[in-house]
Amino acid sequence: ACEPTPELLELCHQVSQPECRDDTWDAMMYHRIGQSWKTRRAELIWLDDKVAQVHRTAELLDCEPLHLPLLAHAADDPVGLEKMKQTLLECARENQPVVIKPRHGANSCFIFFWPSPEETKQEELFQSIAAAL
C-alpha cells in the first residue's frame, strides 16, 4: 500500500493552514511528482497511488468516490494484458470514453484519450496499450 511520507504529510499540514498562500492543487501535485521522480520508490507508482487515493478521498470527504473508475490494469503479464484488451474492446462496443495511460509518468507521454473508441480501429486501440506499457 502507498503510505504518505512524513515530508508529504508535513506539506499537507502546511497548506491547510489559513496563512498559507501556496494551498493549490498544483503545489501539491508538483511536490508529489518531484518526490516520486526523485526517489523512484516502488510504493509511489502512480497507478497504485490513484487506487489508494480513490478510497482515501471518499473516506476523508465522507462521500462517494470522486475519481474516474479504473477499469483494468496490466503489467508485463499475458493474463493482465488480455484482460485489459478485452475491457478496452467492451468500452469500444459501448462507445464508452476511455483513457489509456502508463503506471508511472510525469510528462503526459503515452497517454491516449479515446472519447469515441467505437470509431477507432482495434489495432490503434491495442497499440495505445503497448505504448503505455
Side-chain angles (χ1 to χ4, degrees):
C2 182
E3 295 293 327
T5 62
E7 296 84 12
L8 183 59
L9 289 173
E10 176 59 28
L11 179 64
C12 290
H13 175 73
Q14 289 173 11
V15 300
S16 68
Q17 302 306 306
E19 65 274 5
C20 181
R21 294 176 188 247
D22 202 15
D23 64 346
T24 65
W25 166 251
D26 286 346
M28 297 297 289
M29 177 185 66
Y30 289 130
H31 174 81
R32 187 72 174 99
I33 288 170
Q35 185 181 48
S36 177
W37 182 254
K38 288 175 192 169
T39 64
R40 306 280 177 123
R41 290 172 33 206
E43 68 270 23
L44 296 181
I45 290 177
W46 293 8
L47 176 61
D48 301 336
D49 231 8
K50 189 65 168 177
V51 171
Q53 287 174 17
V54 170
H55 173 73
R56 184 69 178 132
T57 300
E59 185 180 89
L60 288 170
L61 298 176
D62 192 28
C63 68
E64 295 297 314
L66 299 173
H67 299 278
L68 294 174
L70 178 66
L71 301 176
H73 64 90
D76 194 14
D77 71 283
V79 174
L81 182 57
E82 186 58 33
K83 168 74 171 130
M84 191 168 188
K85 288 180 177 180
Q86 292 307 313
T87 301
L88 184 54
L89 289 177
E90 288 172 27
C91 290
R93 276 193 296 278
E94 297 170 11
N95 205 30
Q96 176 183 351
V98 67
V99 176
I100 304 294
K101 66 181 282 305
R103 287 177 60 104
H104 192 94
N107 58 5
S108 300
C109 287
F110 307 113
I111 296 177
F112 299 86
F113 298 93
W114 303 112
S116 298
E118 81 174 349
E119 299 170 6
T120 307
K121 293 179 182 174
Q122 179 176 318
E123 182 181 333
E124 276 185 85
L125 296 172
F126 288 172
Q127 286 173 349
S128 68
I129 292 174
L133 294 177

